[in-house]
Amino acid sequence: MAKTFECARSLILEAVAPLPVESVPILELVGRVLAEEVKAPCDIPRWDNSAMDGFAVRAADCGSLKSLQIDGYVPAGGSTCDIHVSPGKAVRIMTGAPTPKGCDTIVPMEDTEEKDGHVVIKGWVELGDHIRVRGEDVQKGEVVIAAGCVLRPAEINMLASFGLQNSSVFCRPRVAILSTGDELVEPGEPLGPGQIFNSNAYSLAAAVSEIGGEPLLLGIARDNRESLKEKLTSGLQADVLITTAGVSMGDRDLVCEMLQELGVERLFWKVDIKPGRPTAFGLKDGKPVFSLPGNPVSTMVTFEELVRPALLKMMGHQRVIKPFVKATLNETATKRLGRVQFLRVRVADNGESLVASSSGDQNTGILRTLLRANGIAVLPADREQIEAGEEVDIHLIADIEGLDAAK
Ligand code: AMP
Ligand code: MG
């Protein structure tokens, strides 16, 4: 019996777990999920320092138009061992330089005038001005990045500011991608009669890479037992196996049968969704095996709705199901009762709310309307018709604007 969409997705998500943890060099950390919280090994800043180019002074010395003798200089990276600010004197200081002893305030260069080895302070000086105090950003021992955080450039800056060169993150899944079909030819090879290019492998590889997985292209298995057995066996070595096509009811649709023969435990075959109904899912030694339908639109939509959350979970992400955005449907949509329909839509912001319009022909054979779409409206199984003006749930697959090029 076919599973409901929600049931199929839950079965998948219950079956997969985060991968082991590895230590990764800082230059390769962006987008990875931190496996262990990071505690600050030191205060940041490590010492009081100047926030401006200017003069280190004692605030009490800085009455109006007071002239202070310049006595010393601390550049960024300089030492303050031999330098201190004596009463009535000022030390020239650069941004980021440690504040010398005796100083309690920095006067920015632009609020001063220099003359004959002296500096005249113009304007009002507040005690403590322009000093960055030790630990004001981060204090030693506090948790600055929680486990499960997706590392962005800002987190990477923080890690580097601690002097770290590596961090512990969840491994990226190696995702084997197998296309199946006697009609398929790799791009670059000549096409014979009745043949088409294997395009699914490339969209899947792109989709896997885009979320941080590592695609492994296995090439094409032909629609016979020997070829499928050989390719599926090698695919089962990876962390995840995704196959496309050969899962429908045709007499050459042998993928499910062969997976079973290779010991893959089937959790479901067929989901009440459109497109993507023939999707199957199983486990081999705990590793997930997705059998997606062959139509390029079905392949991509089932990846987006069923495979992507699983890969994200394996990579340690905590929020694996894309949040919905709400949009008003621009035209009435009719659909089959009992199935979730994934409608390819263009979502636009009309200034007040988001409006979703069909991106065109919804036939599974029409890839063009997926190129035009920036969202997938998830229309509920228990409805036969959604009226124009009703609110629908959308999974955005691209920015709300900027699709002009795909028209
Ligand atoms: P099937 O499920 O094997 O009947 O395939 C469904 C449709 O998807 C057929 O029209 C296939 O030619 C097409 N198809 C299957 N595999 C691929 C692929 N790798 N790239 C592009 N189209 C494919
Ligand atoms: Mg086929």
Side-chain angles (χ1 to χ4, degrees), residues 61-80:
D61 291 345
C62 297
S64 78
L65 293 180
K66 197 79 187 269
S67 172
L68 305 173
Q69 189 197 337
I70 301 172
D71 179 25
Y73 172 49
V74 200
S79 158
T80 49

Side-chain angles (χ1 to χ4, degrees), residues 55 68-73 88-92 113-119:
F55 291 91
L68 305 173
Q69 189 197 337
I70 301 172
D71 179 25
Y73 172 49
K89 293 189 176 172
V91 167
R92 191 190 304 279
E113 217 163 79
E114 271 184 68
K115 214 190 238 172
D116 304 330
H118 284 68
V119 56

Side-chain angles (χ1 to χ4, degrees), residues 86-101:
S86 315
K89 293 189 176 172
V91 167
R92 191 190 304 279
I93 193 165
M94 296 299 124
T95 307
T99 47
K101 283 189 205 70

